[in-house]
PDB file of all heavy atoms in Angstrom:
ATOM      1  N   MET A   1      60.962 -95.974  47.327  1.00 96.00           N
ATOM      2  CA  MET A   1      60.798 -94.965  46.248  1.00 96.00           C
ATOM      3  C   MET A   1      62.097 -94.758  45.536  1.00 96.00           C
ATOM      4  O   MET A   1      63.084 -94.553  46.065  1.00 96.00           O
ATOM      5  CB  MET A   1      60.355 -93.631  46.899  1.00 96.00           C
ATOM      6  CG  MET A   1      58.894 -93.678  47.406  1.00 96.00           C
ATOM      7  SD  MET A   1      58.472 -92.109  48.253  1.00 96.00           S
ATOM      8  CE  MET A   1      58.988 -92.487  49.995  1.00 96.00           C
ATOM      9  N   GLY A   2      61.963 -95.053  44.173  1.00 90.00           N
ATOM     10  CA  GLY A   2      63.137 -94.922  43.342  1.00 90.00           C
ATOM     11  C   GLY A   2      62.989 -93.816  42.302  1.00 90.00           C
ATOM     12  O   GLY A   2      61.873 -93.228  42.307  1.00 90.00           O
ATOM     13  N   MET A   3      63.986 -93.464  41.668  1.00 87.00           N
ATOM     14  CA  MET A   3      63.905 -92.312  40.803  1.00 87.00           C
ATOM     15  C   MET A   3      65.093 -92.330  39.732  1.00 87.00           C
ATOM     16  O   MET A   3      66.159 -92.891  40.079  1.00 87.00           O
ATOM     17  CB  MET A   3      63.873 -90.963  41.481  1.00 87.00           C
ATOM     18  CG  MET A   3      65.141 -90.703  42.323  1.00 87.00           C
ATOM     19  SD  MET A   3      66.443 -89.802  41.433  1.00 87.00           S
ATOM     20  CE  MET A   3      67.830 -90.042  42.551  1.00 87.00           C
ATOM     21  N   ASN A   4      64.889 -91.656  38.628  1.00 80.00           N
ATOM     22  CA  ASN A   4      65.923 -91.456  37.686  1.00 80.00           C
ATOM     23  C   ASN A   4      66.152 -89.989  37.401  1.00 80.00           C
ATOM     24  O   ASN A   4      67.205 -89.620  36.874  1.00 80.00           O
ATOM     25  CB  ASN A   4      65.468 -92.164  36.291  1.00 80.00           C
ATOM     26  CG  ASN A   4      65.391 -93.634  36.402  1.00 80.00           C
ATOM     27  OD1 ASN A   4      66.362 -94.286  36.901  1.00 80.00           O
ATOM     28  ND2 ASN A   4      64.358 -94.137  35.915  1.00 80.00           N
ATOM     29  N   HIS A   5      65.149 -89.117  37.763  1.00 87.00           N
ATOM     30  CA  HIS A   5      65.273 -87.722  37.499  1.00 87.00           C
ATOM     31  C   HIS A   5      64.740 -86.928  38.579  1.00 87.00           C
ATOM     32  O   HIS A   5      64.069 -87.462  39.435  1.00 87.00           O
ATOM     33  CB  HIS A   5      64.449 -87.388  36.172  1.00 87.00           C
ATOM     34  CG  HIS A   5      64.879 -88.033  34.948  1.00 87.00           C
ATOM     35  ND1 HIS A   5      64.441 -89.390  34.569  1.00 87.00           N
ATOM     36  CD2 HIS A   5      65.731 -87.642  33.940  1.00 87.00           C
ATOM     37  CE1 HIS A   5      65.065 -89.682  33.435  1.00 87.00           C
ATOM     38  NE2 HIS A   5      65.765 -88.701  32.920  1.00 87.00           N
ATOM     39  N   PHE A   6      65.114 -85.649  38.578  1.00 90.00           N
ATOM     40  CA  PHE A   6      64.571 -84.712  39.495  1.00 90.00           C
ATOM     41  C   PHE A   6      63.094 -84.641  39.512  1.00 90.00           C
ATOM     42  O   PHE A   6      62.472 -84.797  38.367  1.00 90.00           O
ATOM     43  CB  PHE A   6      65.077 -83.219  39.312  1.00 90.00           C
ATOM     44  CG  PHE A   6      66.661 -83.059  39.617  1.00 90.00           C
ATOM     45  CD1 PHE A   6      67.443 -82.773  38.585  1.00 90.00           C
ATOM     46  CD2 PHE A   6      66.957 -83.227  40.811  1.00 90.00           C
ATOM     47  CE1 PHE A   6      68.715 -82.661  38.826  1.00 90.00           C
ATOM     48  CE2 PHE A   6      68.378 -82.936  41.138  1.00 90.00           C
ATOM     49  CZ  PHE A   6      69.227 -82.683  40.204  1.00 90.00           C
ATOM     50  N   GLY A   7      62.389 -84.514  40.626  1.00 92.00           N
ATOM     51  CA  GLY A   7      60.985 -84.307  40.795  1.00 92.00           C
ATOM     52  C   GLY A   7      60.236 -85.702  40.966  1.00 92.00           C
ATOM     53  O   GLY A   7      59.081 -85.667  41.441  1.00 92.00           O
ATOM     54  N   GLU A   8      60.851 -86.814  40.716  1.00 95.00           N
ATOM     55  CA  GLU A   8      60.139 -88.083  40.852  1.00 95.00           C
ATOM     56  C   GLU A   8      59.868 -88.393  42.315  1.00 95.00           C
ATOM     57  O   GLU A   8      58.844 -88.783  42.683  1.00 95.00           O
ATOM     58  CB  GLU A   8      60.857 -89.321  40.099  1.00 95.00           C
ATOM     59  CG  GLU A   8      60.880 -89.122  38.622  1.00 95.00           C
ATOM     60  CD  GLU A   8      61.636 -90.158  37.933  1.00 95.00           C
ATOM     61  OE1 GLU A   8      62.928 -90.080  38.090  1.00 95.00           O
ATOM     62  OE2 GLU A   8      61.143 -91.019  37.190  1.00 95.00           O
ATOM     63  N   ILE A   9      60.950 -88.289  43.173  1.00 95.00           N
ATOM     64  CA  ILE A   9      60.734 -88.524  44.539  1.00 95.00           C
ATOM     65  C   ILE A   9      59.745 -87.550  45.137  1.00 95.00           C
ATOM     66  O   ILE A   9      58.980 -87.958  45.940  1.00 95.00           O
ATOM     67  CB  ILE A   9      62.121 -88.495  45.361  1.00 95.00           C
ATOM     68  CG1 ILE A   9      62.994 -89.598  44.860  1.00 95.00           C
ATOM     69  CG2 ILE A   9      61.798 -88.543  46.799  1.00 95.00           C
ATOM     70  CD1 ILE A   9      62.609 -90.866  45.257  1.00 95.00           C
ATOM     71  N   SER A  10      59.805 -86.377  44.681  1.00 97.00           N
ATOM     72  CA  SER A  10      58.795 -85.299  45.167  1.00 97.00           C
ATOM     73  C   SER A  10      57.410 -85.832  44.938  1.00 97.00           C
ATOM     74  O   SER A  10      56.547 -85.795  45.729  1.00 97.00           O
ATOM     75  CB  SER A  10      59.041 -84.008  44.479  1.00 97.00           C
ATOM     76  OG  SER A  10      58.048 -83.041  44.837  1.00 97.00           O
ATOM     77  N   ARG A  11      57.065 -86.272  43.660  1.00 97.00           N
ATOM     78  CA  ARG A  11      55.850 -86.614  43.319  1.00 97.00           C
ATOM     79  C   ARG A  11      55.271 -87.853  44.123  1.00 97.00           C
ATOM     80  O   ARG A  11      54.218 -87.987  44.511  1.00 97.00           O
ATOM     81  CB  ARG A  11      55.625 -86.848  41.808  1.00 97.00           C
ATOM     82  CG  ARG A  11      55.861 -85.582  41.003  1.00 97.00           C
ATOM     83  CD  ARG A  11      55.480 -85.804  39.517  1.00 97.00           C
ATOM     84  NE  ARG A  11      56.558 -86.548  38.860  1.00 97.00           N
ATOM     85  CZ  ARG A  11      57.659 -86.114  38.230  1.00 97.00           C
ATOM     86  NH1 ARG A  11      57.835 -84.711  38.364  1.00 97.00           N
ATOM     87  NH2 ARG A  11      58.464 -86.839  37.643  1.00 97.00           N
ATOM     88  N   LEU A  12      56.314 -88.792  44.308  1.00 98.00           N
ATOM     89  CA  LEU A  12      56.015 -89.936  45.068  1.00 98.00           C
ATOM     90  C   LEU A  12      55.719 -89.722  46.498  1.00 98.00           C
ATOM     91  O   LEU A  12      54.750 -90.232  47.110  1.00 98.00           O
ATOM     92  CB  LEU A  12      57.104 -91.046  44.894  1.00 98.00           C
ATOM     93  CG  LEU A  12      57.203 -91.574  43.472  1.00 98.00           C
ATOM     94  CD1 LEU A  12      58.474 -92.463  43.427  1.00 98.00           C
ATOM     95  CD2 LEU A  12      56.137 -92.426  42.985  1.00 98.00           C
ATOM     96  N   THR A  13      56.655 -88.987  47.167  1.00 97.00           N
ATOM     97  CA  THR A  13      56.544 -88.873  48.639  1.00 97.00           C
ATOM     98  C   THR A  13      55.253 -87.972  48.917  1.00 97.00           C
ATOM     99  O   THR A  13      54.698 -88.222  50.073  1.00 97.00           O
ATOM    100  CB  THR A  13      57.802 -88.149  49.169  1.00 97.00           C
ATOM    101  OG1 THR A  13      57.693 -88.204  50.623  1.00 97.00           O
ATOM    102  CG2 THR A  13      57.942 -86.735  48.698  1.00 97.00           C
ATOM    103  N   ARG A  14      54.776 -87.160  48.142  1.00 98.00           N
ATOM    104  CA  ARG A  14      53.564 -86.324  48.354  1.00 98.00           C
ATOM    105  C   ARG A  14      52.350 -87.192  48.456  1.00 98.00           C
ATOM    106  O   ARG A  14      51.406 -86.877  49.132  1.00 98.00           O
ATOM    107  CB  ARG A  14      53.479 -85.286  47.340  1.00 98.00           C
ATOM    108  CG  ARG A  14      54.458 -84.121  47.466  1.00 98.00           C
ATOM    109  CD  ARG A  14      54.281 -83.127  46.285  1.00 98.00           C
ATOM    110  NE  ARG A  14      55.319 -82.077  46.313  1.00 98.00           N
ATOM    111  CZ  ARG A  14      55.253 -81.058  47.117  1.00 98.00           C
ATOM    112  NH1 ARG A  14      54.146 -80.802  47.777  1.00 98.00           N
ATOM    113  NH2 ARG A  14      56.244 -80.100  47.077  1.00 98.00           N
ATOM    114  N   GLN A  15      52.396 -88.378  47.728  1.00 98.00           N
ATOM    115  CA  GLN A  15      51.304 -89.371  47.825  1.00 98.00           C
ATOM    116  C   GLN A  15      51.516 -90.382  48.932  1.00 98.00           C
ATOM    117  O   GLN A  15      50.510 -90.699  49.609  1.00 98.00           O
ATOM    118  CB  GLN A  15      51.199 -90.066  46.492  1.00 98.00           C
ATOM    119  CG  GLN A  15      51.148 -89.141  45.236  1.00 98.00           C
ATOM    120  CD  GLN A  15      50.316 -88.005  45.316  1.00 98.00           C
ATOM    121  OE1 GLN A  15      49.119 -88.102  45.792  1.00 98.00           O
ATOM    122  NE2 GLN A  15      50.631 -86.791  44.876  1.00 98.00           N
ATOM    123  N   VAL A  16      52.674 -90.838  49.201  1.00 98.00           N
ATOM    124  CA  VAL A  16      52.937 -91.828  50.183  1.00 98.00           C
ATOM    125  C   VAL A  16      52.789 -91.164  51.593  1.00 98.00           C
ATOM    126  O   VAL A  16      52.323 -91.842  52.499  1.00 98.00           O
ATOM    127  CB  VAL A  16      54.346 -92.345  50.069  1.00 98.00           C
ATOM    128  CG1 VAL A  16      54.820 -93.271  51.255  1.00 98.00           C
ATOM    129  CG2 VAL A  16      54.526 -93.120  48.675  1.00 98.00           C
ATOM    130  N   ARG A  17      53.270 -89.942  51.796  1.00 98.00           N
ATOM    131  CA  ARG A  17      53.144 -89.194  53.037  1.00 98.00           C
ATOM    132  C   ARG A  17      53.698 -90.032  54.168  1.00 98.00           C
ATOM    133  O   ARG A  17      52.971 -90.410  55.078  1.00 98.00           O
ATOM    134  CB  ARG A  17      51.706 -88.743  53.365  1.00 98.00           C
ATOM    135  CG  ARG A  17      51.221 -87.638  52.406  1.00 98.00           C
ATOM    136  CD  ARG A  17      49.824 -87.318  52.593  1.00 98.00           C
ATOM    137  NE  ARG A  17      49.018 -87.369  51.399  1.00 98.00           N
ATOM    138  CZ  ARG A  17      47.761 -87.152  51.212  1.00 98.00           C
ATOM    139  NH1 ARG A  17      47.022 -86.859  52.328  1.00 98.00           N
ATOM    140  NH2 ARG A  17      47.164 -87.282  50.077  1.00 98.00           N
ATOM    141  N   PRO A  18      54.943 -90.390  54.116  1.00 98.00           N
ATOM    142  CA  PRO A  18      55.543 -91.227  55.186  1.00 98.00           C
ATOM    143  C   PRO A  18      55.537 -90.588  56.499  1.00 98.00           C
ATOM    144  O   PRO A  18      55.648 -89.424  56.705  1.00 98.00           O
ATOM    145  CB  PRO A  18      56.975 -91.520  54.687  1.00 98.00           C
ATOM    146  CG  PRO A  18      57.284 -90.333  53.668  1.00 98.00           C
ATOM    147  CD  PRO A  18      55.967 -89.975  53.133  1.00 98.00           C
ATOM    148  N   THR A  19      55.357 -91.398  57.558  1.00 98.00           N
ATOM    149  CA  THR A  19      55.518 -90.927  58.929  1.00 98.00           C
ATOM    150  C   THR A  19      56.914 -91.122  59.424  1.00 98.00           C
ATOM    151  O   THR A  19      57.348 -90.515  60.426  1.00 98.00           O
ATOM    152  CB  THR A  19      54.575 -91.681  59.894  1.00 98.00           C
ATOM    153  OG1 THR A  19      54.806 -93.108  59.791  1.00 98.00           O
ATOM    154  CG2 THR A  19      53.153 -91.417  59.429  1.00 98.00           C
ATOM    155  N   VAL A  20      57.732 -91.974  58.748  1.00 98.00           N
ATOM    156  CA  VAL A  20      59.208 -92.096  59.016  1.00 98.00           C
ATOM    157  C   VAL A  20      59.860 -92.104  57.714  1.00 98.00           C
ATOM    158  O   VAL A  20      59.441 -92.806  56.764  1.00 98.00           O
ATOM    159  CB  VAL A  20      59.501 -93.409  59.781  1.00 98.00           C
ATOM    160  CG1 VAL A  20      61.038 -93.629  59.883  1.00 98.00           C
ATOM    161  CG2 VAL A  20      58.799 -93.500  61.076  1.00 98.00           C
ATOM    162  N   GLY A  21      60.839 -91.297  57.532  1.00 97.00           N
ATOM    163  CA  GLY A  21      61.613 -91.105  56.249  1.00 97.00           C
ATOM    164  C   GLY A  21      62.999 -91.771  56.441  1.00 97.00           C
ATOM    165  O   GLY A  21      63.554 -91.740  57.536  1.00 97.00           O
ATOM    166  N   MET A  22      63.613 -92.254  55.312  1.00 97.00           N
ATOM    167  CA  MET A  22      64.785 -92.983  55.400  1.00 97.00           C
ATOM    168  C   MET A  22      65.561 -92.797  54.134  1.00 97.00           C
ATOM    169  O   MET A  22      64.967 -92.984  53.020  1.00 97.00           O
ATOM    170  CB  MET A  22      64.654 -94.465  55.672  1.00 97.00           C
ATOM    171  CG  MET A  22      65.954 -95.225  55.910  1.00 97.00           C
ATOM    172  SD  MET A  22      65.653 -97.013  55.888  1.00 97.00           S
ATOM    173  CE  MET A  22      64.579 -97.167  57.354  1.00 97.00           C
ATOM    174  N   ILE A  23      66.830 -92.374  54.118  1.00 96.00           N
ATOM    175  CA  ILE A  23      67.770 -92.378  53.027  1.00 96.00           C
ATOM    176  C   ILE A  23      68.969 -93.258  53.348  1.00 96.00           C
ATOM    177  O   ILE A  23      69.713 -92.949  54.233  1.00 96.00           O
ATOM    178  CB  ILE A  23      68.123 -90.851  52.695  1.00 96.00           C
ATOM    179  CG1 ILE A  23      66.971 -90.015  52.508  1.00 96.00           C
ATOM    180  CG2 ILE A  23      69.050 -90.857  51.403  1.00 96.00           C
ATOM    181  CD1 ILE A  23      67.307 -88.512  52.287  1.00 96.00           C
ATOM    182  N   THR A  24      69.091 -94.295  52.495  1.00 94.00           N
ATOM    183  CA  THR A  24      70.120 -95.318  52.854  1.00 94.00           C
ATOM    184  C   THR A  24      71.463 -94.768  52.575  1.00 94.00           C
ATOM    185  O   THR A  24      72.525 -95.050  53.269  1.00 94.00           O
ATOM    186  CB  THR A  24      69.938 -96.533  51.985  1.00 94.00           C
ATOM    187  OG1 THR A  24      69.961 -96.239  50.557  1.00 94.00           O
ATOM    188  CG2 THR A  24      68.554 -97.194  52.344  1.00 94.00           C
ATOM    189  N   ASN A  25      71.682 -93.962  51.412  1.00 90.00           N
ATOM    190  CA  ASN A  25      73.001 -93.481  51.098  1.00 90.00           C
ATOM    191  C   ASN A  25      72.938 -92.640  49.858  1.00 90.00           C
ATOM    192  O   ASN A  25      71.913 -92.726  49.229  1.00 90.00           O
ATOM    193  CB  ASN A  25      74.058 -94.582  50.889  1.00 90.00           C
ATOM    194  CG  ASN A  25      73.533 -95.785  50.088  1.00 90.00           C
ATOM    195  OD1 ASN A  25      73.054 -95.461  48.849  1.00 90.00           O
ATOM    196  ND2 ASN A  25      73.570 -96.947  50.535  1.00 90.00           N
ATOM    197  N   ILE A  26      73.981 -91.995  49.503  1.00 86.00           N
ATOM    198  CA  ILE A  26      74.069 -91.136  48.304  1.00 86.00           C
ATOM    199  C   ILE A  26      75.296 -91.676  47.583  1.00 86.00           C
ATOM    200  O   ILE A  26      76.434 -91.484  48.046  1.00 86.00           O
ATOM    201  CB  ILE A  26      74.153 -89.689  48.599  1.00 86.00           C
ATOM    202  CG1 ILE A  26      72.995 -89.130  49.332  1.00 86.00           C
ATOM    203  CG2 ILE A  26      74.297 -88.921  47.263  1.00 86.00           C
ATOM    204  CD1 ILE A  26      71.649 -89.323  48.672  1.00 86.00           C
ATOM    205  N   GLY A  27      75.142 -92.293  46.469  1.00 78.00           N
ATOM    206  CA  GLY A  27      76.169 -92.784  45.553  1.00 78.00           C
ATOM    207  C   GLY A  27      76.178 -92.093  44.275  1.00 78.00           C
ATOM    208  O   GLY A  27      76.071 -90.845  44.152  1.00 78.00           O
ATOM    209  N   VAL A  28      76.375 -92.885  43.202  1.00 71.00           N
ATOM    210  CA  VAL A  28      76.363 -92.279  41.881  1.00 71.00           C
ATOM    211  C   VAL A  28      75.324 -92.781  40.951  1.00 71.00           C
ATOM    212  O   VAL A  28      75.407 -92.643  39.762  1.00 71.00           O
ATOM    213  CB  VAL A  28      77.836 -92.432  41.213  1.00 71.00           C
ATOM    214  CG1 VAL A  28      78.889 -91.684  41.986  1.00 71.00           C
ATOM    215  CG2 VAL A  28      78.194 -93.945  41.108  1.00 71.00           C
ATOM    216  N   SER A  29      74.432 -93.689  41.365  1.00 67.00           N
ATOM    217  CA  SER A  29      73.371 -94.335  40.582  1.00 67.00           C
ATOM    218  C   SER A  29      72.576 -93.092  39.952  1.00 67.00           C
ATOM    219  O   SER A  29      72.248 -92.178  40.614  1.00 67.00           O
ATOM    220  CB  SER A  29      72.466 -95.134  41.380  1.00 67.00           C
ATOM    221  OG  SER A  29      73.193 -96.201  41.905  1.00 67.00           O
ATOM    222  N   HIS A  30      72.353 -93.179  38.546  1.00 62.00           N
ATOM    223  CA  HIS A  30      71.589 -92.220  37.870  1.00 62.00           C
ATOM    224  C   HIS A  30      72.363 -90.871  37.720  1.00 62.00           C
ATOM    225  O   HIS A  30      71.661 -89.905  37.473  1.00 62.00           O
ATOM    226  CB  HIS A  30      70.201 -92.035  38.428  1.00 62.00           C
ATOM    227  CG  HIS A  30      69.523 -93.321  38.589  1.00 62.00           C
ATOM    228  ND1 HIS A  30      69.259 -94.158  37.625  1.00 62.00           N
ATOM    229  CD2 HIS A  30      68.994 -93.848  39.743  1.00 62.00           C
ATOM    230  CE1 HIS A  30      68.634 -95.238  38.199  1.00 62.00           C
ATOM    231  NE2 HIS A  30      68.400 -95.017  39.394  1.00 62.00           N
ATOM    232  N   ILE A  31      73.682 -90.830  38.042  1.00 67.00           N
ATOM    233  CA  ILE A  31      74.347 -89.602  37.861  1.00 67.00           C
ATOM    234  C   ILE A  31      74.329 -89.105  36.419  1.00 67.00           C
ATOM    235  O   ILE A  31      74.459 -87.865  36.147  1.00 67.00           O
ATOM    236  CB  ILE A  31      75.827 -89.853  38.299  1.00 67.00           C
ATOM    237  CG1 ILE A  31      76.574 -88.502  38.608  1.00 67.00           C
ATOM    238  CG2 ILE A  31      76.711 -90.641  37.313  1.00 67.00           C
ATOM    239  CD1 ILE A  31      77.852 -88.635  39.330  1.00 67.00           C
ATOM    240  N   GLU A  32      74.124 -89.934  35.520  1.00 65.00           N
ATOM    241  CA  GLU A  32      73.901 -89.561  34.023  1.00 65.00           C
ATOM    242  C   GLU A  32      72.797 -88.601  33.862  1.00 65.00           C
ATOM    243  O   GLU A  32      72.958 -87.675  33.162  1.00 65.00           O
ATOM    244  CB  GLU A  32      73.676 -90.817  33.164  1.00 65.00           C
ATOM    245  CG  GLU A  32      73.527 -90.444  31.709  1.00 65.00           C
ATOM    246  CD  GLU A  32      73.379 -91.705  30.882  1.00 65.00           C
ATOM    247  OE1 GLU A  32      73.090 -92.824  31.449  1.00 65.00           O
ATOM    248  OE2 GLU A  32      73.476 -91.647  29.628  1.00 65.00           O
TER     249      GLU A  32
END
């Protein structure tokens, strides 16, 4: 799941409904 703005991951994950979640890292992509 990718995103550029707030709310996008929320809308995606509510449909995917993962049984295991993963966040690789927090960098500066899309900081703009």
